[in-house]
Amino acid sequence: MASDLSQIAQLLDATLDPVKHKKAEAALKLEEKKPQFSLQLLKIVATENLEPKIRLAGALCFKNFIRHNYVDEERNYKLPIDEVNTIKQELIGLMIACPATIQTQLGEAISIIADSDFWDRWDTLVADLVSRFTPDNFKVNNGVLEVAHSIFVRWRPLYRSDELYTEINHVLNTFAVPFLNLLSATDQQITTHANDKVALKGYFDTMSLLIKVFYDLSCQDMPPQFESNLEHISTLLHKYLTYENPLLATDDDSEAGVIEVVKADICEVLQLYVTKYDDDFGRYAQVFINSAWNLLSAIGPETKYDNLVSKALQFLTAIAASPKHSLSFNDENVLGQVVEKVVLPNVALRESDIELFEDEPIEFIRRDLEGSDTDSRRRAATDFLKQLQGSFEQLVTNVAGRYIEHYLEQGKTNWKDKDTAVSLFLSVAAKGAVTAAHGVKTVNPLVNVVDFFQQHIANDLVSDSGIEPISKVDAIKYLYTFRSQLTKEQWQAAFQPLIQNMGSSNYVVYTYAAICVERLLHLTDDSGTRFFGRADIEPFAKDLLDHLFKLVEKESSPAKMQENEFLMRCIMRVLIVMNTGITGFVDMVLDHLVGITNIIKANPSNPRFYYYHFEALGAVVSFGSSGGASKLEQRLWEPFSVIITEEVNEFIPYIFQILAKLLELDPSGALPNHFQALVPSLMQPTLWETRGNVPALTRLLAAIIPRTSRSIVAENQVQPILGIFQNLLRVKKTEQNAFDLLESIVLSIDRSALEPYFKEILSLLFIKLQGTPSESFKLRFVRFYHLVSARVEAGLGADFFVSQVDLVQNNLFVQIYLSIVLPVSDMLVRPVDRKLAVISFAKSMGDSAAFAQRYQKGWRFTCEAMLKLLINPPKVTSGVGDDVVNEADVDDIGFGLGFTALNTCKRAAWDIYPEIQDIKIWVRQYLNEANNRHNGAVAKYIAERLTVEAREAMALYVSQG
């Protein structure tokens, strides 16, 4: 039965209410399962007499529904085909007719559909878009271009491929000429309506979208249609780079108007064309260089121009990177003008920067940090100067040096001038990018960064009074930037003053001090050895952590408490570096972390903060449990169980990882009662439907199974667990999780309870092998084979595996063994896996009846495969590098989009046979004992079945007298 439209609308409205939203979202989940739910949402979006907020909520819900329910990983439709076709027919027209906020959500939904279907299963889309272009209706054109941009923008980050170029050519053949016609028509309409503010704004919005789509269409290669019209296009772009009209000016100093947006987009296009297509575009570049220079020289300091200034500087940086164009800068007077008119105005502090520092300190920090201010004036200006320095190092250093000296002198009485001098010095001293791991790795040999610090900056770091907070921040950021350039002795002198700055009352100062300390503790040399280790911080680690926690806990509301992820990152790093040294104050750390957890669970609003928070908890579990895990289990169970009960979905994958780690620390102990009670809820399908839960859920269940295997068998839970395995195996992204679960079952469940299901397990695996399995799937299958084959002592072994394969299809084992097991075994990389393979092969040679009689050639192949692995015998080590934990780079993590692994809770490589240390000695011992058990059969097979070379190799392992 289809969903009721008014009921869905009421539920969408309720999702916007903080009190009702959880219940409403659960009810919407049920509605999703009814036929034509997606079309009902589109009807709600299209109903103009509904409140805008409900229509917008409907568009957002539609986008998310399409993301999860449109196709599976193999591009098979999950929706009925008639529903798919209706969506495609209705969506474009609906988006064009909707307000801009709704257009954004529907545009993202179209982009998701295009990822799956465009162009081969939606080959009418481009013609449909082109048919809707009009010469004079900007509202319609803007809607069409929004759709086009949402599809074509997907090309920007992609690598070149035949499939991609086929798609682009399909688009260009239909779209390029009408697009160019619309570009000219819009230009004419702007000229015609130059005095009509409303129409002018509408057509300028069209021009803005046209420039964005122009970039999309050009991002991989210059379209031939553009190449043949390049002069006309360049003239038009230059017209709008220099265009002025007071009707489009905005009164707001902080918000860019459409004219600034268009100019910034044009600068982005210019940067692309100079970088990629300079052979064709180069002849038009000079006029743009002059105009960009004039624009930068005349533009004001207002923040509404920031993006435009940044993009114009990035264009000039691309010019400076071109050997052909950069020569015009190779002149002392020109470089003086560059520094004075372009660089200095954009690195100098503005009143808006100081206001941000004082009023929104966390925003100031995020913009100021590397990678956080790619569109800031200061970053763009310094990148431009760095690029020039790369070509003319001596000249740029000399010119900039004069201004640095001037501003340092001025800075004796004006701290803002000193800030300018320090920023300019950072620009010329640092070569290459500032890396997150090491800061600046290479410096300009013409300057001395340590001398500069000692002469001009150190006093700002150590002085207790009379220093402006921003000057303190400059001093800390200087250390942070050049942290790889200081010796251990220099750092030891600077470290205490740095710690003392954490006691500052200024938010930015103490946060920057925490950032610098964290990055210093993260710093390693080329061999991976910590620059600053446990011994360096142990004397004051407890006090440092206590202070950092108090800074976090200064705010009591959930949102404010988790605002400053940098403090929590420093807490995490101190715990990691201290390693087992935290045992003396682990209760204090847990008090704070559990308290913070209990507050922020009410509103998980900063994914970076709570990622670091759970990494910190993971460090406590991994390093602070020397007295046994039971105490930590008791302490963490209550807050964690509340999170599971209250369905704080953002936290649940982290909670499951930490619980799994607790169990893995003592894999043989009895399962605590509270974990036992958790088992039925872990079987609930709803938990597994959330993709981000799956890896952690699998790991937790795999950790539980060994500790309660008898109970699982007694309560008939083997089949439900294997049902989970089957579902995980079905989806490519969760195949590895399926094997994790299967291995835990095989290791923990007695053969008698496992055997009734084994044929079906193999059938599922063989079906996947018959398709186009990934390399990772084949590797995991082979590891699974070796696990079963090696477990002779548990009643399994190669003979058991062969007998079960025979139940699927007689003699299928030969094909599987020869085409998968033998060749892939040599591809196993991890020592634990290669060791397991050797054990499996040796046991097959020593005790398998099937290999002794039925597969006599197979015995030889098995022996040869084992010998190949023993050429470089796998050696499993533990403890090496355990103190180095590298968390994922937060800027690479798709927070909220999927699973994020906790590195402090990483699962150690699973060594099934830890008691076997020297694999060669074990093989010799095992095969000789087997030879004795079977009255010399092993030696007989060696003599009869092996080549001379193999017999000689086996003489090391089996006495053949």
Side-chain angles (χ1 to χ4, degrees), residues 591-629:
D591 285 344
H592 286 295
L593 288 174
V594 170
I596 291 167
T597 305
N598 290 336
I599 291 172
I600 66 173
K601 70 181 172 62
N603 178 21
S605 56
N606 184 350
R608 284 178 169 79
F609 180 94
Y610 57 75
Y611 164 68
Y612 294 132
H613 173 72
F614 285 111
E615 284 282 20
L617 267 170
V620 172
V621 167
S622 295
F623 308 138
S625 56
S626 58

Coordinates of all heavy atoms in Angstrom, one line a residue, residues 591-629:
D591 N 37.6 9.6 34.2 CA 36.6 10.5 34.7 C 36.2 11.6 33.7 O 35.1 11.9 33.5 CB 37.1 11.2 36.0 CG 37.1 10.2 37.2 OD1 36.4 9.1 37.1 OD2 37.8 10.4 38.2
H592 N 37.3 12.3 33.2 CA 37.0 13.4 32.3 C 36.4 12.9 31.0 O 35.4 13.4 30.5 CB 38.4 14.1 31.9 CG 38.9 14.9 33.0 ND1 38.2 16.1 33.5 CD2 40.0 14.8 33.8 CE1 38.9 16.6 34.4 NE2 40.0 15.9 34.7
L593 N 36.9 11.8 30.4 CA 36.4 11.3 29.1 C 35.0 10.8 29.2 O 34.2 11.1 28.3 CB 37.4 10.2 28.5 CG 38.7 10.7 28.0 CD1 39.6 9.5 27.6 CD2 38.6 11.6 26.8
V594 N 34.7 10.1 30.2 CA 33.3 9.6 30.4 C 32.4 10.8 30.7 O 31.3 10.8 30.1 CB 33.2 8.6 31.6 CG1 31.8 8.3 31.9 CG2 34.0 7.3 31.2
G595 N 32.8 11.8 31.5 CA 32.0 12.9 31.7 C 31.7 13.7 30.4 O 30.5 14.1 30.2
I596 N 32.7 13.9 29.6 CA 32.5 14.5 28.3 C 31.6 13.8 27.4 O 30.7 14.3 26.8 CB 33.9 14.8 27.6 CG1 34.7 15.8 28.4 CG2 33.7 15.2 26.2 CD1 36.2 15.9 28.0
T597 N 31.8 12.4 27.4 CA 30.9 11.6 26.6 C 29.4 11.8 27.0 O 28.5 11.9 26.1 CB 31.2 10.1 26.8 OG1 32.6 9.9 26.5 CG2 30.4 9.2 25.9
N598 N 29.2 11.8 28.3 CA 27.8 11.9 28.8 C 27.1 13.2 28.4 O 25.9 13.3 28.3 CB 27.7 11.7 30.3 CG 28.1 10.3 30.7 OD1 27.9 9.4 29.9 ND2 28.5 10.1 31.9
I599 N 28.0 14.3 28.2 CA 27.4 15.6 27.8 C 27.2 15.7 26.3 O 26.1 16.0 25.8 CB 28.3 16.7 28.4 CG1 28.2 16.8 29.9 CG2 27.9 18.0 27.7 CD1 29.2 17.7 30.5
I600 N 28.2 15.3 25.6 CA 28.1 15.6 24.1 C 27.2 14.6 23.4 O 26.8 14.9 22.2 CB 29.5 15.6 23.4 CG1 30.2 14.2 23.5 CG2 30.4 16.7 24.1 CD1 31.5 14.2 22.7
K601 N 26.9 13.5 24.0 CA 26.0 12.5 23.3 C 24.6 13.2 23.1 O 23.8 12.7 22.2 CB 25.8 11.3 24.1 CG 25.1 11.4 25.4 CD 25.0 10.0 26.1 CE 24.4 10.1 27.5 NZ 23.0 10.6 27.6
A602 N 24.3 14.2 23.8 CA 22.9 14.8 23.6 C 22.9 15.6 22.3 O 21.8 15.8 21.7 CB 22.7 15.8 24.8
N603 N 24.0 15.9 21.7 CA 24.1 16.7 20.5 C 25.4 16.5 19.8 O 26.3 17.4 19.9 CB 23.7 18.1 20.7 CG 23.8 19.0 19.4 OD1 23.7 18.4 18.3 ND2 24.0 20.3 19.5
P604 N 25.7 15.4 19.1 CA 27.0 15.2 18.5 C 27.1 16.2 17.3 O 26.7 15.8 16.2 CB 27.0 13.8 18.1 CG 25.8 13.1 18.8 CD 24.8 14.2 19.0
S605 N 27.8 17.3 17.5 CA 27.7 18.3 16.4 C 29.1 18.6 15.8 O 29.1 19.2 14.7 CB 27.3 19.7 17.1 OG 28.1 20.0 18.1
N606 N 30.2 18.1 16.3 CA 31.5 18.3 15.7 C 32.2 16.9 15.5 O 32.8 16.4 16.4 CB 32.4 19.2 16.6 CG 33.7 19.5 15.9 OD1 34.1 18.9 14.9 ND2 34.4 20.4 16.5
P607 N 32.1 16.4 14.3 CA 32.6 15.0 14.1 C 34.1 14.9 14.3 O 34.6 13.9 14.8 CB 32.3 14.8 12.6 CG 31.2 15.7 12.2 CD 31.4 16.9 13.1
R608 N 34.9 16.0 14.1 CA 36.3 15.9 14.4 C 36.6 15.8 15.9 O 37.4 15.0 16.3 CB 37.0 17.2 13.8 CG 37.2 17.1 12.3 CD 37.9 18.4 11.8 NE 38.3 18.2 10.4 CZ 37.4 18.3 9.4 NH1 36.1 18.6 9.6 NH2 37.9 18.2 8.2
F609 N 35.8 16.5 16.7 CA 36.0 16.5 18.1 C 35.8 15.1 18.6 O 36.6 14.5 19.3 CB 35.1 17.5 18.8 CG 35.3 17.5 20.3 CD1 36.1 18.4 20.9 CD2 34.5 16.6 21.1 CE1 36.3 18.4 22.3 CE2 34.7 16.6 22.5 CZ 35.5 17.5 23.1
Y610 N 34.6 14.5 18.3 CA 34.3 13.2 18.9 C 35.1 12.1 18.2 O 35.3 11.1 18.9 CB 32.8 12.9 19.0 CG 31.9 13.0 17.7 CD1 32.0 11.9 16.8 CD2 31.0 14.0 17.5 CE1 31.2 11.9 15.7 CE2 30.2 14.0 16.4 CZ 30.3 13.0 15.5 OH 29.4 12.9 14.4
Y611 N 35.6 12.3 17.0 CA 36.6 11.3 16.5 C 37.8 11.3 17.4 O 38.2 10.2 17.9 CB 37.0 11.6 15.1 CG 38.2 10.9 14.6 CD1 38.2 9.5 14.4 CD2 39.4 11.6 14.4 CE1 39.4 8.9 14.1 CE2 40.6 10.9 14.0 CZ 40.5 9.6 13.8 OH 41.7 8.9 13.5
Y612 N 38.4 12.4 17.7 CA 39.6 12.5 18.6 C 39.2 12.0 20.0 O 40.0 11.4 20.7 CB 40.2 13.9 18.7 CG 40.7 14.4 17.4 CD1 40.4 15.7 16.9 CD2 41.6 13.6 16.6 CE1 40.9 16.1 15.7 CE2 42.1 14.0 15.4 CZ 41.8 15.3 14.9 OH 42.3 15.7 13.8
H613 N 38.0 12.3 20.4 CA 37.6 11.9 21.8 C 37.6 10.4 21.9 O 38.1 9.8 22.9 CB 36.2 12.5 22.0 CG 35.5 12.0 23.2 ND1 35.9 12.4 24.5 CD2 34.5 11.1 23.4 CE1 35.1 11.8 25.4 NE2 34.2 11.0 24.8
F614 N 37.1 9.7 20.9 CA 37.0 8.2 20.9 C 38.4 7.6 20.7 O 38.7 6.5 21.1 CB 35.9 7.7 20.0 CG 34.5 7.9 20.5 CD1 33.7 8.8 20.0 CD2 34.1 7.2 21.7 CE1 32.4 9.0 20.5 CE2 32.9 7.4 22.2 CZ 32.0 8.2 21.6
E615 N 39.2 8.3 19.9 CA 40.6 7.9 19.8 C 41.3 7.9 21.1 O 42.1 7.0 21.5 CB 41.4 8.7 18.8 CG 41.1 8.5 17.3 CD 41.8 7.2 16.8 OE1 42.2 6.3 17.6 OE2 41.9 7.1 15.5
A616 N 41.0 9.0 21.9 CA 41.6 9.1 23.3 C 41.1 8.0 24.2 O 41.8 7.3 24.9 CB 41.2 10.5 23.9
L617 N 39.8 7.7 24.1 CA 39.2 6.5 24.8 C 39.9 5.2 24.4 O 40.2 4.4 25.2 CB 37.7 6.5 24.7 CG 36.9 7.2 25.7 CD1 35.4 7.3 25.3 CD2 37.0 6.5 27.1
G618 N 40.1 5.1 23.1 CA 40.7 3.9 22.6 C 42.1 3.8 23.1 O 42.6 2.7 23.4
A619 N 42.8 4.9 23.2 CA 44.2 4.9 23.8 C 44.2 4.4 25.3 O 45.0 3.6 25.7 CB 44.8 6.3 23.7
V620 N 43.2 4.9 26.0 CA 43.0 4.4 27.4 C 42.8 2.9 27.5 O 43.4 2.2 28.3 CB 41.9 5.2 28.1 CG1 41.6 4.6 29.5 CG2 42.2 6.7 28.2
V621 N 41.9 2.4 26.6 CA 41.7 1.0 26.6 C 42.9 0.2 26.2 O 43.2 -0.9 26.8 CB 40.5 0.7 25.6 CG1 40.4 -0.8 25.3 CG2 39.2 1.2 26.2
S622 N 43.6 0.6 25.1 CA 44.8 -0.1 24.6 C 46.0 0.0 25.6 O 46.7 -1.0 25.7 CB 45.2 0.4 23.2 OG 44.1 0.2 22.3
F623 N 46.2 1.1 26.2 CA 47.4 1.3 27.0 C 47.2 1.3 28.5 O 48.1 1.1 29.3 CB 48.1 2.6 26.6 CG 48.3 2.8 25.1 CD1 48.1 4.0 24.5 CD2 48.8 1.7 24.3 CE1 48.3 4.2 23.2 CE2 49.0 1.9 23.0 CZ 48.7 3.1 22.4
G624 N 45.9 1.5 28.9 CA 45.7 1.7 30.4 C 45.0 0.5 31.0 O 44.5 0.6 32.1
S625 N 45.2 -0.7 30.4 CA 44.5 -1.9 30.9 C 45.5 -2.9 31.4 O 45.2 -4.1 31.3 CB 43.6 -2.5 29.9 OG 44.3 -2.8 28.7
S626 N 46.6 -2.5 31.9 CA 47.7 -3.4 32.3 C 47.2 -4.3 33.4 O 47.7 -5.5 33.6 CB 48.9 -2.7 32.7 OG 48.7 -1.8 33.8
G627 N 46.3 -3.9 34.2 CA 45.8 -4.7 35.3 C 44.6 -5.6 34.9 O 43.9 -6.1 35.7
G628 N 44.3 -5.7 33.6 CA 43.2 -6.4 33.1 C 42.1 -5.5 32.6 O 42.0 -4.4 33.0
A629 N 41.4 -6.1 31.6 CA 40.3 -5.2 31.0 C 39.0 -5.1 31.7 O 38.2 -4.3 31.5 CB 40.1 -5.8 29.6

